[in-house]
Amino acid sequence: MDDALAPCPECGSAYTYESGALLVCPECAHEWEPAADTASAERVVRDAVGNVLADGDTVTVVKDLKVKGSTASIKVGTKVRNIRLVDGVGDHDIDCKVDGFGPMQLKSSVVKKV
Ligand SMILES: [Zn+2]
């Protein structure tokens, strides 16, 4: 596998080259920033009100949550300690353990940092 550069977004030319932080197309002279490398980009996870969450934070649940495979639901105000930010299933970006329910993944949009 060679590390081919992305083709020019303007004309589709494959003869693009790097010029500093930019990619340049020799055919139409278009210059652009290459797509961000999402693997190395720092991901920011925010709670329901916009606080930035971090590993180890304690949060409370801001709305009743149905739990798959259980008739019980996690109630508003339930405290969840020591969360871990993950790239989970769907929009789930928090890995945690909820008292009485066990380990699960939550969406950051349903919690608030304490
Ligand atoms: Zn071009």
Side-chain angles (χ1 to χ4, degrees):
M1 286 294 289
D2 64 353
D3 193 16
L5 295 171
C8 173
E10 288 290 309
C11 70
S13 168
Y15 301 105
T16 54
Y17 60 91
E18 282 176 293
S19 174
L22 297 175
L23 292 179
V24 181
C25 172
E27 300 197 27
C28 72
H30 183 56
E31 294 183 2
W32 70 100
E33 278 184 64
D37 183 352
T38 51
S40 65
E42 198 161 330
R43 206 165 59 100
V44 176
V45 175
R46 292 176 190 276
D47 69 7
V49 296
N51 293 314
V52 175
L53 297 173
D55 287 355
D57 276 354
T58 297
V59 298
T60 57
V61 174
V62 298
K63 64 180 198 179
D64 286 353
L65 302 173
K66 283 209 166 64
V67 179
K68 217 184 252 179
S70 169
T71 51
S73 60
I74 300 173
K75 299 288 183 207
V76 171
T78 299
K79 208 173 251 187
V80 183
R81 290 180 183 80
N82 199 19
I83 63 167
R84 206 159 55 82
L85 303 181
V86 295
D87 195 5
V89 182
D91 297 336
H92 294 75
D93 42 21
I94 294 173
D95 196 46
C96 60
K97 208 182 234 178
V98 180
D99 289 346
F101 292 93
M104 65 180 65
Q105 292 187 344
L106 295 174
K107 296 178 187 179
S108 55
S109 58
V110 303
V111 302
K112 197 159 75 107
K113 188 169 171 172
V114 175

